[in-house]
Amino acid sequence: MSRSRQPPLVTGISPNEGISWTKVTIRGENLGTGPTDLLGLTICGHNCLLTAEWMSASKIVCRVGQAKNDKGDIIVTTKSGGKGTSTVSFKLLKPEKIGILDQSAVWVDEMNYYDMRTDRNKGIPPLSLRPANPLGIEIDKGRFPQKDLESLFPGMSADFTSENFSAAWYLIENHSTTSFDQLKTAVVNLKKQANKKNEGSLAYVKGGLSTFFEAQDALSAIHQKLEADGTEKVEGSMTQKLENVLNRASNTADTLFQEVLGRKDKADSTRNALNVLQRFKFLFNLPLNIERNIQKGDYDVVINDYEKAKSLFGKTEVQVFKKYYAEVETRIEALRELLLDKLLETPSTLHDQKRYIRYLSDLHAPGDPAWQCIGAQHQWILQLMHSCKESYVKEQKNALLHSPMLDLDSDVRPSPIGHLSQTASLKRGSSFQSARDDAWRYKAPQQVVFVEKLTKLVVSQLPNFWKLWISYVNGSLFSETAEKSGQMERSKKNARQRQNDFKKMIQEVMHSLVKLIRGALLPFSLREGELRQYGGWEMKSELSGQWLTHVIQTVRLSSESLTALEIPNDMLQIIQDLILDLRVRCIIVTLQHTAEGNRRL
């Protein structure tokens, strides 16, 4: 294989690192025989052929594009040698953040080139269409080695579009065997091209000659008239006529070119507007994207886009950017209100509550959404307890026929508490286990069913409420973004300050639970004002000892479930007092029934 057919080899690049659009010089061997022989040039996997400028077989200048890889090889592909290899690599550095008004694009230097197809000058980028044969004669490639030519003409180039063009190198390489007559023909062709290049300006002058002659004739006539008359009146008249002619000429010129200049200004303004829209399309499309992502429920995408827009345009002084950023803030404010409404909705799971709190913290929502959620859950639990009491009191007053039957062998009783109560009764060996078969066959009083329902409600809702508070205290409700912004530390500080408030919430739930049970079973233990709020039951007859025993077991198991949540014992002491009062009342009722039975005997 000849030397010209060997694949390209890149042995050096200067500089060997930089950001996108850095101008680099590539050196190596067999990098092509000319600009048309260069088929491909990639740096770090990105095509850089558009900005490449072939200098010689050992040198190429180009700019690095937007590459995906941080580090990669420089691969040159030529028509004569195929795909090449590289012994060096280029490291792409990440650019610094660009300000809003800073220039972020690098423009490729253009060169002035005469296009023979349209007969006019125009600026074109490198490697665009160029005349393959500027002399207009047959090209005969010589057999002079490329390295010998490079040594004869150091720093020069055979490319006639290059700044370092060497005519001698070009002639030796392409016309070494051309005859002298053909070279004369080439000189004639070059002169013709030069004449064509200047033909446009000459034609413009020729086309305006008639106008110039008419103006000269008019001036001559005016001059002759002034000499013949010699009066100031004629001079003034002629001067006025001359001014009128000049004014009409000026108006005609303005009329001719005003439309062209207006179209150019409009095109320039449109082009600038399109460039701005393309460059900052992220901001201009952001309000619509936020609306679409909110409808789809992709709140994480909305938060990421908002953080990006805030870092780029949060402090901008450009009016159009401020207008669109204000629209973004309006959509984000509506999203904050939407998420807060979802957070305060009841019922809701602990997972959803944590998720909405994290979203609101990332959106820098005002106030303390986590504490608002805790307050809403507290009020909701209290409302559930009172609604439960009202429904059973209403059912008792309406004397419904379909009352629930509490049979320990059936599934009417709550499964967790019922199972635990049966196990506890067996372990204690109480007499209630032996007598339950006959007692639970009868209709259960509404007060007993209410206590079962109420304790089940508290045991099922209070754990999530307690876990939400624990997450609020240790800061696990917030994301890494909130931790970096210091919001987690502020939340922990607020939690320490609100420990007494949360303690009062738990105590209020415990007091409501106890007083509702007392209003149903021990109404005489409440004051008159409390009886109106927590009572309302119609006590036709007092509960028997067996029903009270079942209620005691239910309340005791509920207390054990609450203790498992690590709620302080001082908050649960009120339940222990209730259990003691129920046990005392159970003993009194049992003794009264026994005494009554003895009297009957």
Side-chain angles (χ1 to χ4, degrees):
M1 181 180 292
S2 63
R3 186 176 182 84
S4 61
R5 294 295 181 180
Q6 293 181 358
L9 175 62
V10 177
T11 58
I13 184 171
S14 177
N16 59 0
E17 63 179 12
I19 63 174
S20 299
W21 303 112
T22 301
K23 189 173 184 179
V24 296
T25 301
I26 301 171
R27 296 188 180 275
E29 301 175 0
N30 307 315
L31 300 183
T33 60
T36 57
D37 190 42
L38 189 61
L39 297 180
L41 173 60
T42 59
I43 300 178
C44 297
H46 186 271
N47 187 6
C48 303
L49 183 61
L50 183 62
T51 61
E53 184 175 359
W54 186 87
M55 308 298 293
S56 65
S58 60
K59 179 180 177 182
I60 297 176
V61 178
C62 71
R63 291 187 182 273
V64 181
Q66 294 281 358
K68 297 181 180 179
N69 303 325
D70 295 337
K71 190 173 183 180
D73 296 335
I74 303 95
I75 305 300
V76 178
T77 305
T78 62
K79 186 186 302 183
S80 59
K83 187 174 182 180
T85 57
S86 174
T87 60
V88 295
S89 61
F90 183 83
K91 183 178 181 181
L92 184 66
L93 303 178
K94 293 183 179 179
E96 298 179 356
K97 289 186 177 180
I98 301 174
I100 298 173
L101 302 180
D102 295 339
Q103 182 177 354
S104 64
V106 177
W107 299 100
V108 180
D109 298 333
E110 296 185 352
M111 55 183 297
N112 190 23
Y113 167 65
Y114 181 77
D115 192 349
M116 298 180 64
R117 298 172 300 174
T118 57
D119 294 333
R120 61 180 180 179
N121 292 328
K122 62 179 183 178
I124 63 171
L127 297 184
S128 296
L129 285 176
R130 302 167 179 170
N133 187 4
L135 296 182
I137 59 177
E138 184 179 357
I139 296 177
D140 185 10
K141 292 284 186 179
R143 298 183 179 180
F144 291 93
Q146 193 72 20
K147 285 194 172 181
D148 294 343
L149 292 175
E150 291 178 4
S151 61
L152 287 176
F153 304 96
M156 307 302 288
S157 173
D159 186 4
F160 61 89
T161 61
S162 176
E163 296 179 357
N164 302 324
F165 171 68
S166 174
W169 185 350
Y170 180 81
L171 291 175
I172 292 173
E173 183 178 358
N174 298 285
H175 302 286
S176 59
T177 60
T178 304
S179 64
F180 186 71
D181 294 334
Q182 289 181 338
L183 291 178
K184 287 183 179 180
T185 305
V187 173
V188 174
N189 293 336
L190 288 176
K191 289 182 179 180
K192 289 181 179 180
Q193 293 179 14
N195 292 333
K196 285 184 178 180
K197 182 176 181 180
N198 298 324
E199 185 178 354
S201 57
L202 292 176
Y204 175 76
V205 175
K206 290 178 181 179
L209 282 178
S210 60
T211 305
F212 297 152
F213 291 151
E214 291 176 1
Q216 187 177 4
D217 294 340
L219 291 174
S220 298
I222 292 170
H223 182 67
Q224 293 176 2
K225 186 68 174 178
L226 288 174
E227 289 181 352
D229 295 343
T231 60
E232 293 182 359
K233 181 178 180 181
V234 175
E235 182 180 359
S237 177
M238 291 298 102
T239 304
Q240 184 65 32
K241 289 181 179 180
L242 179 61
E243 290 180 355
N244 292 336
V245 171
L246 295 176
N247 289 333
R248 285 197 299 270
S250 177
N251 294 333
T252 303
D254 291 341
T255 304
L256 290 175
F257 291 98
Q258 190 66 32
E259 184 179 358
V260 177
L261 295 177
R263 288 200 301 266
K264 181 179 181 301
D265 293 340
K266 185 176 180 180
D268 291 341
S269 61
T270 303
R271 189 180 300 108
N272 293 333
L274 290 175
N275 290 335
V276 172
L277 288 174
Q278 182 65 23
R279 184 176 177 183
F280 302 102
K281 62 180 180 180
F282 165 74
L283 176 63
F284 297 140
N285 295 334
L286 187 56
L288 182 59
N289 291 336
I290 289 177
E291 192 69 26
R292 291 176 178 174
N293 291 325
I294 289 176
Q295 293 178 358
K296 293 189 295 185
D298 296 337
Y299 303 122
D300 291 317
V301 178
V302 175
I303 293 173
N304 292 335
D305 291 344
Y306 173 65
E307 289 294 334
K308 182 179 178 181
K310 187 176 181 181
S311 62
L312 293 176
F313 306 100
K315 298 181 180 179
T316 182
E317 296 297 333
V318 183
Q319 292 299 325
V320 64
F321 294 162
K322 292 175 67 175
K323 179 179 178 181
Y324 274 87
Y325 185 73
E327 182 68 21
V328 171
E329 286 288 357
T330 302
R331 302 294 176 91
I332 293 299
E333 183 62 30
L335 176 60
R336 293 192 187 103
E337 296 177 359
L338 175 64
L339 292 176
L340 185 60
D341 293 339
K342 289 182 175 293
L343 176 63
L344 300 182
E345 283 181 358
T346 52
S348 61
T349 63
L350 181 62
H351 173 74
D352 290 339
Q353 293 169 1
K354 290 183 177 180
R355 185 162 60 96
Y356 292 135
I357 291 172
R358 189 182 75 250
Y359 290 152
L360 289 170
S361 65
D362 290 342
L363 291 174
H364 308 286
D368 194 347
W371 180 252
Q372 289 179 279
C373 179
I374 292 175
Q377 291 297 312
H378 169 249
Q379 294 298 328
W380 183 64
I381 293 175
L382 294 178
Q383 182 180 357
L384 283 180
M385 295 168 65
H386 286 280
S387 299
C388 180
K389 188 263 295 185
E390 294 296 335
S391 63
Y392 278 97
V393 169
K394 184 178 180 181
E395 186 176 354
Q396 184 192 41
K397 290 181 178 180
N398 292 335
L400 296 176
L401 298 177
H402 302 286
S403 298
M405 297 293 294
L406 283 181
D407 191 345
L408 290 180
D409 295 332
S410 65
D411 294 333
V412 176
R413 300 180 62 204
S415 56
I417 299 179
H419 176 70
L420 290 175
S421 63
Q422 295 182 31
T423 307
S425 300
L426 291 174
K427 288 183 178 180
R428 297 186 183 94
S430 62
S431 59
F432 175 73
Q433 178 67 21
S434 59
R436 67 176 177 86
D437 295 334
D438 296 330
W440 292 102
R441 295 181 185 276
Y442 298 97
K443 181 178 179 181
Q446 287 293 329
Q447 293 92 326
V448 178
V449 180
F450 164 69
V451 172
E452 286 274 356
K453 181 67 176 180
L454 182 65
T455 53
K456 178 183 177 181
L457 186 150
V458 173
V459 170
S460 62
Q461 296 297 330
L462 204 60
N464 288 339
F465 183 64
W466 182 261
K467 292 176 182 178
L468 181 63
W469 164 255
I470 297 299
S471 301
Y472 178 64
V473 171
N474 58 28
S476 61
L477 292 174
F478 306 100
S479 61
E480 296 180 358
T481 304
E483 184 177 0
K484 293 178 181 179
S485 63
Q487 190 169 358
M488 184 180 296
E489 294 298 328
R490 293 193 297 269
S491 175
K492 291 182 179 180
K493 182 178 179 181
N494 294 336
R496 289 191 295 268
Q497 295 175 353
R498 290 167 174 164
Q499 285 183 353
N500 292 332
D501 295 336
F502 182 76
K503 184 177 181 180
K504 291 179 181 179
M505 290 181 180
I506 296 295
Q507 289 176 345
E508 186 175 359
V509 173
M510 297 296 104
H511 279 280
S512 298
L513 173 65
V514 170
K515 289 181 180 180
L516 286 172
I517 296 177
R518 286 182 179 275
L521 303 178
L522 304 174
F524 52 83
S525 63
L526 298 177
R527 296 190 297 270
E528 184 177 356
E530 295 176 342
L531 191 61
R532 287 194 299 267
Q533 182 179 0
Y534 299 102
W537 299 88
E538 295 184 2
M539 306 295 292
K540 295 181 179 180
S541 60
E542 194 169 8
L543 295 179
S544 63
Q546 293 180 346
W547 291 117
L548 289 175
T549 302
H550 169 68
V551 170
I552 292 172
Q553 288 181 338
T554 302
V555 177
R556 183 179 295 163
L557 292 173
S558 301
S559 176
E560 293 175 358
S561 300
L562 297 177
T563 304
L565 295 177
E566 299 182 357
I567 297 178
N569 293 329
D570 56 342
M571 297 184 183
L572 301 178
Q573 183 60 40
I574 189 173
I575 299 181
Q576 298 299 327
D577 296 340
L578 172 64
I579 294 175
L580 178 60
D581 292 344
L582 289 175
R583 293 175 64 186
V584 172
R585 188 60 187 171
C586 180
I587 293 174
I588 293 175
V589 170
T590 301
L591 293 176
Q592 289 177 351
H593 289 177
T594 303
E596 182 66 27
N598 291 337
R599 283 196 299 271
R600 291 177 180 177
L601 289 174

